[in-house]
């Protein structure tokens, strides 16, 4: 069943939000490109470069699905993705487990936030795009396997690059995929029908998604400034 597309009443605000997000993403891409050049100079190897690019590949997949859907499920996924990232930060502070001694990073490593985010987005791509649009057939199973294999490879790079231990990425992957399944089930079971029939619910979901996106963008920018000091 196709979810009703979000009404055009929020189009102007959505465009402004997309422009702000695009500006933040562009600045981050420039910073990330310089880091890739450092890896090349330092001889970090192809896996170090792929590890740097992995978040952009996964983000592009997630963003493409959001743009293609542009409906209530897409807004709900944005809220879920940011909530999943916030959960990772909370778990790291609670568990406070150190990263491998070989890494220069001093922040806690359990669970791996990259593994948690990649698993969330991979599971969302399989559930919300491949299976929902194509159904269960040979093509959808192949695409699902490809997405999960690529996500698993990106997660493995966190261990091979000595940024996390195996247990840290495994826990991150389990938490991220489980959170996505629960979030997706919550939408289909509890919210989708209400979203389709109520303008108030539509506006509420849109405002929540916009607030979460702006708060996350502010958090990322503040951390960039902190890292530059």
């Amino acid at each position: 069943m196709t979810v009703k597309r979000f009404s055009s009443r929020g189009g102007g605000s959505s465009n402004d939000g997309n422009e702000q997000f695009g500006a933040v993403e562009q600045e981050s891409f420039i910073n990330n490109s310089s880091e890739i050049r450092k890896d090349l100079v330092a001889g970090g190897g192809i896996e170090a470069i792929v590890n740097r690019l992995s978040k952009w590949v996964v983000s592009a997949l997630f963003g493409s699905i959001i743009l293609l859907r542009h409906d209530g499920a897409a807004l709900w996924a944005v809220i879920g993705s940011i909530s999943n990232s916030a959960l990772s930060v909370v778990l790291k502070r609670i568990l406070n487990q150190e990263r491998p001694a070989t890494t220069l990073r001093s922040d806690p490593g359990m669970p791996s936030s990259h593994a948690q985010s990649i698993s969330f987005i991979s599971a969302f791509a399989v559930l919300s795009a491949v299976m929902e649009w194509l159904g269960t057939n040979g093509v959808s199973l192949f695409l699902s396997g490809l997405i999960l294999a690529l996500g698993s490879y990106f997660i493995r790079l966190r261990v091979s690059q000595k940024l996390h231990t195996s247990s840290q990425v495994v826990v991150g992957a389990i938490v991220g995929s489980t959170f996505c399944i629960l979030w997706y089930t919550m939408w289909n079971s509890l919210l989708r029908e209400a979203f389709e029939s109520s303008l108030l619910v539509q506006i509420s979901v849109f405002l929540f998604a916009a607030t979460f996106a702006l708060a996350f963008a502010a958090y990322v920018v503040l951390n960039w400034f902190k890292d530059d000091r």
Side-chain angles (χ1 to χ4, degrees), residues 1 28 43 52 70 83 154 169 177 182 202 206:
M1 175 180 180
S28 178
R52 293 278 189 190
H70 57 278
S83 299
F154 287 156
V169 299
S177 56
L182 293 175
Q202 292 178 10
F206 175 79

Side-chain angles (χ1 to χ4, degrees), residues 56-127:
W56 297 106
V57 174
V58 175
S59 297
L61 173 64
F62 185 65
S64 298
I65 297 173
I66 297 300
L67 291 175
L68 286 172
R69 293 197 64 112
H70 57 278
D71 58 3
L75 294 175
W76 186 245
V78 170
I79 299 172
S81 178
I82 297 173
S83 299
N84 179 60
S85 298
L87 175 62
S88 177
V89 173
V90 172
L91 289 176
K92 280 188 174 186
R93 291 181 178 178
I94 293 175
L95 299 175
N96 197 29
Q97 185 182 100
E98 293 183 352
R99 292 173 181 261
T102 51
T103 184
L104 298 177
R105 301 188 180 183
S106 59
D107 60 310
M110 172 67 85
S112 165
S113 56
H114 278 75
Q116 192 168 327
S117 296
I118 289 171
S119 296
F120 180 95
I121 293 173
S122 298
F124 173 74
V126 170
L127 293 172

Side-chain angles (χ1 to χ4, degrees), residues 111-177:
S112 165
S113 56
H114 278 75
Q116 192 168 327
S117 296
I118 289 171
S119 296
F120 180 95
I121 293 173
S122 298
F124 173 74
V126 170
L127 293 172
S128 183
V130 178
M131 291 301 180
E132 189 171 321
W133 291 343
L134 300 179
T136 305
N137 52 53
V139 175
S140 64
L141 291 176
F142 171 77
L143 290 175
S144 297
L146 182 63
I147 292 171
L148 295 176
L150 184 63
S152 298
Y153 172 67
F154 287 156
I155 290 172
R156 187 192 69 81
L157 289 177
R158 306 300 293 178
V159 178
S160 67
Q161 295 301 301
K162 305 185 187 311
L163 296 170
H164 288 284
T165 63
S166 297
S167 60
Q168 288 170 355
V169 299
V170 168
V171 171
I174 292 173
V175 173
S177 56

